[in-house]
Amino acid sequence: MKRYSFFLTLLAAGLGLLSSCTDVVDVDLPDPEPQLAVEGNITDQPGPYTIRLTKTGPYFKDQELPAVRGAELVLSDNEGVTETLQETAPGVYQTRQIQGKIGNHYVLSIKAEGQQYRAATEIKRVPGIDGLTQEFKRNEPGWDDGIYAFYNGPELPGVGDYYRFKIWLNGELQNDPDDLVVRDDALVDGRYIGGIELNSDPLQPGDSVRVQLLSLPQDYYYFLNEMFTQINNVGLFSSPPANVRSNVVNVDPNGPRAVGYFAGTAVRSAHLTIQ
């Protein structure tokens, strides 16, 4: 049984297989101009916080993306704290002192390859997790017999909260395309959220389950939703690929654009060892 209801309708009726002679035509597609790609966040947990800068590459070429070295990154908050990040590895920049706080706003300034970019974010509130529980299922429709883990915790009153769930099973982050799980509180505002299934296959005694609940700014929630749509945009009737939004903006409106995201999140965690 799959724990989240993302449905993909497959329209296959009436389609047959056609056999014929096929001419193969090679199409020489021009490579797009590389863009700055930004990946990083700041949380309410102790740092350091990491920002990665790379350049985008051709879609159909499986190659390591080049790191952007020698950039100048400055992170500041609404309390007047400012810090210049240090490049600790090619294209990897880290903080040393600044501490993320719920309710604070942050601005990341990037000077790279003659261009200046800016990204703004905030750290939103997050509820606590009451705990994870386990339950043995036997002879229940839609379930394989075995042990399942469940999430339990409150949702804060007041519409406008956005969340991401990250799940580790035996230390391995569940990172398949359909494991990108983001939710808003429009239908569950202020309610207790109990019994959310965390594993699709039965667990064994000694297995470990870890969950992180992350609060998201609204724009980052939409970014992740768009990314989920593009990742799962496959099949015969998939729609044309579309650009995913970014909060990294070139100060010069006529300058090259950037992709990726710099986000603020608050994090709560819970762990369960199956008995």
Side-chain angles (χ1 to χ4, degrees):
M1 176 178 177
K2 197 63 182 172
R3 59 182 180 273
Y4 299 108
S5 300
F6 290 111
F7 294 104
L8 178 64
T9 302
L10 302 179
L11 304 178
L15 294 180
L17 297 178
L18 302 178
S19 298
S20 63
C21 295
T22 302
D23 292 329
V24 177
V25 179
D26 293 326
V27 179
D28 187 14
L29 298 176
D31 291 339
E33 192 69 26
Q35 294 176 289
L36 177 70
V38 180
E39 177 190 0
N41 65 351
I42 182 170
T43 78
D44 67 331
Q45 303 301 300
Y49 312 114
T50 300
I51 312 295
R52 289 179 172 83
L53 302 184
T54 58
K55 298 299 288 287
T56 59
Y59 182 79
F60 292 104
K61 293 183 179 178
D62 185 13
Q63 61 186 31
E64 184 176 352
L65 297 177
V68 176
R69 308 190 64 175
E72 180 182 328
L73 278 68
V74 178
L75 182 59
S76 58
D77 66 16
N78 56 289
E79 295 181 341
V81 178
T82 298
E83 181 177 352
T84 299
L85 280 67
Q86 303 295 312
E87 187 172 9
T88 58
V92 178
Y93 301 82
Q94 287 189 328
T95 63
R96 291 181 296 177
Q97 298 178 341
I98 196 168
Q99 171 64 56
K101 297 179 183 178
I102 293 176
N104 274 12
H105 294 250
Y106 299 88
V107 174
L108 176 67
S109 297
I110 303 171
K111 291 182 180 179
E113 300 182 328
Q115 300 292 324
Q116 184 167 349
Y117 302 85
R118 181 181 183 274
T121 192
E122 61 181 318
I123 298 180
K124 305 282 285 185
R125 65 181 186 170
V126 66
I129 302 175
D130 283 350
L132 309 182
T133 57
Q134 69 178 66
E135 182 179 345
F136 188 87
K137 299 285 186 179
R138 174 178 290 152
N139 298 328
E140 294 192 29
W143 301 78
D144 294 329
D145 289 355
I147 303 172
Y148 294 84
F150 297 87
Y151 169 96
N152 303 278
E155 204 287 315
L156 300 173
V159 175
D161 295 308
Y162 303 88
Y163 308 108
R164 178 182 179 184
F165 291 86
K166 299 176 72 173
I167 302 168
W168 286 260
L169 298 179
N170 292 320
E172 182 178 350
L173 175 64
Q174 303 305 285
N175 205 29
D176 288 337
D178 60 351
D179 290 319
L180 176 56
V181 180
V182 294
R183 293 288 186 269
D184 66 63
D185 67 345
L187 300 179
V188 295
D189 178 49
R191 300 181 187 177
Y192 192 85
I193 310 300
I196 296 180
E197 183 193 349
L198 300 175
N199 56 295
S200 56
D201 297 320
L203 298 168
Q204 302 296 323
D207 286 347
S208 66
V209 182
R210 184 163 71 95
V211 172
Q212 279 189 350
L213 175 63
L214 290 74
S215 65
L216 309 176
Q218 184 185 59
D219 56 350
Y220 188 46
Y221 166 79
Y222 288 126
F223 166 82
L224 291 175
N225 262 317
E226 292 171 7
M227 189 167 67
F228 175 86
T229 299
Q230 293 302 313
I231 290 173
N232 292 278
N233 185 25
V234 296
L236 182 61
F237 296 99
S238 60
S239 58
N243 290 331
V244 176
R245 72 182 67 207
S246 172
N247 70 338
V248 184
V249 179
N250 195 321
V251 174
D252 178 1
N254 297 316
R257 295 184 178 183
V259 298
Y261 225 88
F262 170 66
T265 61
V267 183
R268 296 296 177 265
S269 301
H271 178 269
L272 172 68
T273 300
I274 300 300
Q275 304 299 315

